[in-house]
Amino acid sequence: MKPTTHLFLRSIAAGCAALLVSCAGTQGNTQNRESMLVASGFKVITPKTAAQKQKLQNLPAGTVTMIKKGKKKYYVFPDPAHNQAYVGGPEEYQAYQQLRADKKLAREDLQDAEMYQDATMEWSLWGGGEGVWGPMGGPMPGGF
């Protein structure tokens, strides 16, 4: 198979894989978020009264909402499908935000590493190699 055809097919395969991951990731994102909330100290609360259930249903899905009760702030992530909510205070919310930032950086580092690995795997297609490039990437003196 020609190198350009091989590169083209790998690009298509990578695009398809990314699409599958993004589609499958919706449910995984919610479960992952719930795991991070629990790891941050959020408590799982099950509404007991009809009024509590109604409040749970009225919260925006998929987001953490800040609620003030008196002078206290609470952060609530609803899970109406399981009739529960994840509830934490400012400290738990701060820990959750830090976990999200750390995870995002780790994911970006992984993506960068994968990108650089792909670039080095196809180095031979560039026609580069030992002795072709001189100092600082310029052509070697007396080279072509």
Side-chain angles (χ1 to χ4, degrees):
M1 187 178 299
K2 291 183 179 181
T4 54
T5 305
H6 180 67
L7 181 61
F8 177 72
L9 291 175
R10 283 186 62 175
S11 297
I12 290 175
C16 290
L19 181 62
L20 287 173
V21 167
S22 68
C23 291
T26 305
Q27 183 178 3
N29 283 344
T30 301
Q31 291 172 344
N32 189 27
R33 185 175 298 189
E34 292 167 355
S35 297
M36 286 193 299
L37 288 164
V38 170
S40 300
F42 277 67
K43 305 291 182 217
V44 179
I45 307 293
T46 303
K48 293 177 178 47
T49 67
Q52 290 173 338
K53 289 178 184 179
Q54 184 62 41
K55 286 181 183 179
L56 175 66
Q57 296 295 324
N58 289 338
L59 289 172
T63 62
V64 177
T65 304
M66 194 264 300
I67 298 174
K68 285 182 115 177
K69 189 169 186 180
K71 293 185 178 185
K72 291 190 174 188
K73 289 181 186 177
Y74 296 96
Y75 295 86
V76 181
F77 181 83
D79 182 2
H82 297 104
N83 192 37
Q84 60 189 17
Y86 297 83
V87 181
E91 295 83 18
E92 291 82 12
Y93 184 70
Q94 183 72 28
Y96 169 67
Q97 292 290 29
Q98 186 62 48
L99 263 178
R100 286 187 60 185
D102 293 347
K103 185 172 178 96
K104 181 179 180 191
L105 287 173
R107 186 173 48 244
E108 287 173 357
D109 288 346
L110 178 61
Q111 289 171 343
D112 287 347
E114 289 172 347
M115 180 179 69
Y116 291 129
Q117 179 183 8
D118 286 345
T120 59
M121 296 294 283
E122 298 299 328
W123 178 248
S124 62
L125 295 176
W126 290 47
E130 290 292 322
V132 175
W133 304 104
M136 301 299 290
M140 292 186 69
F144 54 111

